[in-house]
């Protein structure tokens, strides 16, 4: 019952940490209380939402573009129960995949919920395990909002939204962040009347403002409506209906919306319940995250923390990178995460992807920069595929041409962003991207054209 390392939580942070540590020669166990491995991401987050986004995108394509391409009589009917079955299959394949990887790498899965009664000890049920080192990767949960009574049936978080008994006719989404817009898109494509209520005067705060404006326009074209500058006060449900009240921030006027279903998507918070961190004396930040140093050490010797439970963006891939880095550090190597190059992606259609600085953050820092922008309307492949909406924007240092950030709204933006991430990791200039031959016809050419636009100009603009 003794391990070099016990990881608490088998989400993308925890399972990656456990596998990497085992690969580096440590004897590793990972504690997970869910029935299946993979955490929020694989079970009730990234993966199931992507399955529903994929299915409903196919529906949207069939409804809107098939006839134009000469594909007649292909209007699919939606079988929601079957779609949920497809989603469940996708989850199963992924969670079983992690189980296989644990076996392959000799990581023991300790089933149950862990606490840390003392440094070097992990308790699960009645058993206490000895651990040379402990990594907490316990993830996050939806933040509650005062006045909003979540029942996961009529008033739901993302977890309930992935399991709705039927497709709502009217859906109110609270919060125009990533979850609200991804899940809002799913139900809008399935025919729901979707209204997004957002506190700020813009959607997707933190993202490039120009991208946000274009994104809102394109989502509105797809039938979603937006009420901005609106502070939600309450949401309550009868058995089948819901009522949402909000106040306009401009004039304090009160409003009521009715719906069949309400999705609360106003952010997530670290999940550390039951770990016994208080008694152990683990230091926390003001925002309720586990405080760590640059090596992911907490204030208690031998206890480390990563992922959504600590500071930084709540993203699966950020957690994975930290999991790998801390495993390397514990194995005596030099693990490191470059927080300046962590992409963020919204998996709607079109997709939105960003990395590094925004124009807003550069202006705030008083840095001189230039902008290279290219519209997908000028990209032959995008035109052929009904994917001309959106653009690539690259921000580069005005004097040195070094790439500082990039923002893409368009087809497969979440894949396109990565060549820019690699370029940034290598400290590349926009000219380096511009001089790299890009295959024709590909969406990637739009990235090259934006890089060209940082210099002497794009060709197809
Ligand atoms: P978020 O932080 O992205 O957005 C929350 C939105 O709710 C904000 O725009 C905020 O201004 C608004 N809001 C807050 N209080 C409000 C109120 N009283 N009335 C109206 N609006 C209000 O949070 P979200 O979408 O819940 O996502 C949680 C976390 O999960 C994020 O960190 C996100 O990055 C992550 N996530 C990432 C995904 C991805 O990478 N594709 C997918 C899903 C989640």
């Amino acid at each position: 019952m003794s391990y070099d390392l016990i990881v608490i939580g088998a989400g993308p942070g925890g399972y990656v940490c456990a596998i990497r540590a085992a690969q580096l020669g440590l004897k590793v166990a990972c504690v997970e209380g869910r029935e299946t491995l993979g955490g929020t991401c694989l079970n009730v987050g990234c993966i199931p939402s992507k399955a529903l986004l994929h299915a409903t995108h196919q529906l949207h394509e069939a409804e809107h573009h098939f006839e134009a391409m000469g594909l007649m009589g292909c209007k699919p009917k939606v079988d929601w129960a079957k779609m949920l079955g497809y989603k469940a299959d996708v989850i199963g394949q992924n969670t079983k995949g992690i189980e296989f990887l644990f076996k392959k790498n000799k990581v023991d899965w300790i089933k149950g919920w862990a606490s840390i009664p003392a440094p070097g000890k992990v308790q699960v049920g009645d058993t206490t395990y000895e651990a040379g080192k402990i990594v907490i990767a316990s993830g996050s949960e939806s933040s509650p909002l005062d006045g909003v009574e979540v029942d996961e049936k009529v008033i739901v978080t993302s977890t309930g939204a992935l399991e709705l008994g039927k497709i709502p006719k009217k859906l109110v989404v609270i919060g125009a962040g990533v979850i609200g817009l991804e899940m809002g898109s799913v139900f809008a494509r399935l025919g729901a009347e979707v209204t997004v209520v957002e506190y700020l005067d813009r959607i997707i705060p933190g993202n490039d403002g120009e991208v946000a404006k274009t994104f809102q326009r394109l989502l509105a074209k797809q039938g979603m409506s937006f009420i901005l500058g609106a502070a939600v006060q309450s949401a309550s449900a009868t058995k089948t209906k819901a009522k949402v009240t909000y106040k306009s921030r401009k004039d304090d006027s009160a409003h009521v919306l009715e719906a069949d279903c309400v999705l609360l998507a106003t952010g997530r918070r670290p999940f550390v319940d039951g770990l016994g961190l208080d008694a152990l004396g683990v230091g926390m930040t003001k925002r309720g995250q586990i405080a760590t140093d640059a090596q992911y050490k907490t204030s208690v010797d031998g206890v480390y923390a990563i992922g959504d439970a600590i500071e930084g963006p709540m993203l699966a891939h950020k957690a994975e990178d930290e999991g790998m880095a801390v495993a390397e550090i514990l194995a005596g190597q030099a693990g490191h995460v470059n927080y300046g190059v962590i992409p963020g992606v919204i998996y709607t259609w079109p997709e939105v992807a960003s990395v590094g600085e925004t124009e807003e953050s550069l202006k705030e820092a008083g840095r001189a920069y230039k902008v290279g922008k290219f519209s997908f309307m000028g990209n032959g492949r995008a035109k052929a595929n009904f994917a001309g909406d959106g653009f690539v924007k690259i921000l580069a240092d005005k004097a040195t041409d070094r790439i500082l950030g990039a923002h893409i709204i368009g087809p497969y933006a979440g894949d396109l962003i990565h060549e820019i991430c690699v370029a940034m990791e290598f400290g590349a200039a926009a000219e380096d991207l511009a001089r790299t031959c890009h295959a024709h016809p590909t969406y990637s050419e739009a990235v090259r054209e934006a890089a060209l636009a940082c210099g002497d100009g794009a060709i197809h603009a």
Side-chain angles (χ1 to χ4, degrees):
M1 294 306 187
S2 167
Y3 291 92
D4 297 327
L5 169 65
I6 296 184
V7 181
I8 299 176
Y15 84 70
V16 167
C17 175
I19 290 172
R20 175 52 103 225
Q23 288 171 340
L24 296 176
L26 303 188
K27 187 176 176 214
V28 184
C30 183
V31 192
E32 174 55 59
R34 269 180 216 269
E35 292 298 307
T36 48
L37 299 173
T40 300
C41 174
L42 271 66
N43 288 283
V44 288
C46 328
I47 297 296
S49 62
K50 260 80 269 176
L52 294 183
L53 280 158
H54 176 68
T56 55
H57 177 58
Q58 303 301 314
L59 173 69
H60 186 268
E61 288 293 285
E63 285 175 345
H64 294 85
H65 300 138
F66 274 20
E67 280 194 19
M69 291 185 285
L71 298 169
M72 313 309 283
C74 308
K75 289 242 161 95
K77 272 203 202 107
V78 175
D79 182 332
W80 177 236
K82 202 156 182 191
M83 198 180 281
L84 291 181
Y86 148 70
K87 182 207 69 175
D89 283 350
V90 172
I91 295 172
Q93 284 168 30
N94 280 274
T95 57
K96 284 200 190 78
I98 309 300
E99 230 177 296
F100 165 78
L101 291 174
F102 270 14
K103 284 196 186 118
K104 184 178 160 199
N105 289 286
K106 303 196 170 41
V107 173
D108 288 347
W109 173 9
I110 302 173
K111 293 186 188 180
W113 300 99
S115 62
I116 311 173
K121 296 203 185 310
V122 172
Q123 174 127 15
V124 183
D126 295 334
T127 313
T128 305
Y129 299 85
E130 304 287 329
K133 297 280 190 280
I134 298 168
V135 171
I136 302 170
S138 51
S140 61
E141 60 181 358
S142 294
S143 299
L145 184 65
D146 281 350
V148 176
E149 302 149 22
V150 171
D151 58 15
E152 294 297 8
K153 294 215 152 41
V154 178
I155 301 183
V156 298
T157 66
S158 52
T159 304
L162 292 164
E163 283 295 330
L164 288 182
K166 58 177 194 232
I167 299 163
K169 284 204 177 72
K170 272 192 183 182
L171 171 69
V172 168
V173 175
I174 310 176
V178 187
I179 293 182
L181 299 184
E182 286 188 355
M183 291 312 297
S185 275
V186 163
F187 290 108
R189 291 172 191 164
L190 290 168
E193 194 184 299
V194 177
T195 306
V196 183
V197 188
E198 164 59 45
Y199 182 82
L200 298 173
D201 292 322
R202 54 163 293 172
I203 67 169
I204 51 169
N207 273 264
D208 179 271
E210 193 182 5
V211 166
K213 271 199 191 123
T214 305
F215 191 33
Q216 188 181 333
R217 182 175 53 76
L218 294 174
L219 290 175
K221 221 167 85 182
Q222 293 167 23
M224 287 169 70
S225 19
F226 293 88
I227 303 173
L228 302 180
V232 168
Q233 307 289 303
S234 73
S236 51
T238 60
K239 244 189 183 152
T240 51
K241 288 269 171 209
K243 201 171 82 175
V244 175
T245 64
Y246 71 88
K247 269 194 175 164
S248 161
R249 289 175 59 222
K250 204 166 60 192
D251 56 15
D252 222 26
S253 55
H255 304 261
V256 181
L257 294 170
E258 294 205 333
D260 311 301
C261 180
V262 177
L263 167 62
L264 176 65
T266 51
R268 297 179 64 82
R269 65 179 183 189
F271 175 72
V272 292
D273 290 3
L275 289 171
L277 300 187
D278 251 7
L280 192 64
V282 172
M284 307 292 285
T285 69
K286 278 191 198 125
R287 301 182 58 200
Q289 300 141 324
I290 300 173
T292 57
D293 68 8
Q295 265 75 47
Y296 308 103
K297 273 190 201 153
T298 69
S299 58
V300 173
D301 245 13
V303 179
Y304 297 72
I306 57 168
D308 282 10
I310 70 168
E311 270 180 297
M314 288 183 161
L315 297 170
H317 44 281
K318 175 258 193 190
E320 288 182 32
D321 281 20
E322 290 176 343
M324 218 144 27
V326 77
E328 286 167 358
I329 290 166
L330 295 178
Q333 300 186 355
H336 171 73
V337 177
N338 179 1
Y339 290 98
V341 188
I342 294 190
V345 179
I346 309 173
Y347 297 87
T348 43
W349 188 271
E351 289 184 351
V352 173
S354 65
V355 63
E357 304 287 348
T358 59
E359 285 202 65
E360 290 83 355
S361 68
L362 289 170
K363 276 185 193 135
E364 207 180 302
R367 289 183 72 174
Y369 66 94
K370 53 188 173 174
V371 180
K373 208 175 133 190
F374 187 78
S375 163
F376 280 100
M377 286 296 178
N379 177 276
R381 184 74 179 277
K383 274 205 288 247
N385 296 0
F386 303 96
D389 284 329
F391 56 84
V392 180
K393 183 198 247 189
I394 293 177
L395 308 173
D397 187 279
K398 193 152 192 176
T400 66
D401 196 36
R402 185 179 176 140
I403 302 170
L404 303 173
H407 306 277
I408 308 177
I409 176 165
Y412 304 107
D415 292 293
L416 298 180
I417 197 80
H418 291 100
E419 69 165 299
I420 306 174
C421 295
V422 174
M424 286 173 73
E425 280 287 348
F426 283 83
E431 187 179 344
D432 294 318
L433 271 187
R435 289 193 182 278
T436 304
C437 183
H438 283 63
H440 177 75
T442 58
Y443 297 129
S444 298
E445 287 174 289
V447 173
R448 184 205 201 168
E449 292 268 26
L452 279 165
C454 287
D456 294 333
I459 300 296
H460 296 89

